[in-house]
């Protein structure tokens, strides 16, 4: 069995941190947003970020224990996925403070867009740098998910203009 390259573990760790930060952001933004039609979409995005976290957390755990990549489908079939603690105020205080400084719904959505674009780019870099097919597949799936979020947030921003 070959050793897991530290860059892959670093990429997974960065992804896990990005997903948790986005999750916390969406929950806090949903409390602050003025247009109540945007509350449910923000909660939906939070839920999707939580699922992405769970995928990455399982991959990381699998690599540490077995030094073997598993498929996304296998990750999602496993019982007992870790839960993200809903009360993350202390750990993400700076991010929450940033959300509170935002003055308009547009500013909230612009920050959401930046978070999604950053996550997408992080996963694309990880996919491009991996020589392991399973790793590329995982990261490329996450790129597609995050690009979907980028597209969705852009559509929400367009509705603000209507």
């Amino acid at each position: 069995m070959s050793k897991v390259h530290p860059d892959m573990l670093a990429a997974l760790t960065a992804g896990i941190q990005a997903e948790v930060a986005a999750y916390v952001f969406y929950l806090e933004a949903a409390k602050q947003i003025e247009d109540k039609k945007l509350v449910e979409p923000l909660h939906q995005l939070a839920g999707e970020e939580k699922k992405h976290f769970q995928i990455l957390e399982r991959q990381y755990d699998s690599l540490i224990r077995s030094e073997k990549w598993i498929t996304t489908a296998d990750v999602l079939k496993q019982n007992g996925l870790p839960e993200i603690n809903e009360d993350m105020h202390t750990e993400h205080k700076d991010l929450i403070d940033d959300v509170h400084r935002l003055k308009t719904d547009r500013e909230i959505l612009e920050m959401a867009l930046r978070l999604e674009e950053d996550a997408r780019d992080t996963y694309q870099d990880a996919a491009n740098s991996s020589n392991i097919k399973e790793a590329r597949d995982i990261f490329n799936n996450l790129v597609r998910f995050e690009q979907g979020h980028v597209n969705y947030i852009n559509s929400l921003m367009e509705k603000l203009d209507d």
Side-chain angles (χ1 to χ4, degrees):
M1 200 173 296
S2 63
K3 279 292 235 188
V4 177
H5 196 283
D7 289 350
M8 286 296 101
L9 292 177
L12 287 168
T13 299
I16 289 166
Q17 292 169 348
E19 297 301 337
V20 171
Y23 172 77
V24 170
F25 168 81
Y26 285 125
L27 290 181
E28 197 62 29
K31 294 176 193 173
Q32 184 169 321
I33 201 123
E34 290 180 20
D35 185 343
K36 296 308 172 199
K37 292 180 294 201
L38 295 173
V39 171
E40 183 54 35
L42 292 176
H43 281 183
Q44 177 187 341
L45 287 163
E48 290 178 15
E49 299 301 346
K50 186 175 182 176
K51 287 177 188 171
H52 298 169
F53 159 81
Q54 292 169 330
I55 290 169
L56 294 170
E57 185 76 11
R58 276 287 190 220
Q59 273 301 346
Y60 189 94
D61 183 56
S62 173
L63 287 172
I64 293 300
R65 285 186 297 108
S66 69
E67 296 183 0
K68 178 179 162 192
W69 285 88
I70 54 178
T71 68
T72 303
D74 289 338
V75 170
L76 294 175
K77 287 179 193 172
Q78 293 180 359
N79 292 324
L81 289 173
E83 286 296 316
I84 298 175
N85 183 345
E86 304 286 331
D87 183 23
M88 297 185 168
H89 191 275
T90 308
E91 186 176 340
H92 293 282
K93 183 181 179 331
D94 292 341
L95 177 63
I96 291 170
D97 289 346
D98 288 344
V99 174
H100 290 170
R101 281 191 281 278
L102 301 173
K103 302 287 186 231
T104 66
D105 291 354
R106 175 163 294 286
E107 289 176 344
I108 289 171
L109 292 176
E110 286 171 349
M111 185 171 177
L113 186 62
R114 285 191 304 274
L115 287 170
E116 297 297 344
E117 289 171 338
D118 288 348
R120 178 202 58 206
D121 296 346
T122 295
Y123 297 136
Q124 188 63 66
D125 291 344
N128 292 342
S129 67
S130 179
N131 59 358
I132 301 166
K133 181 191 179 317
E134 293 86 355
R136 283 192 311 274
D137 290 347
I138 291 287
F139 289 124
N140 282 325
N141 281 333
L142 288 165
V143 167
R144 284 189 289 281
F145 289 144
E146 300 303 340
Q147 184 59 50
H149 290 175
V150 166
N151 297 343
Y152 185 56
I153 292 167
N154 279 323
S155 74
L156 293 174
M157 291 172 72
E158 288 173 11
K159 290 177 185 175
L160 287 180
D161 296 334
D162 293 343

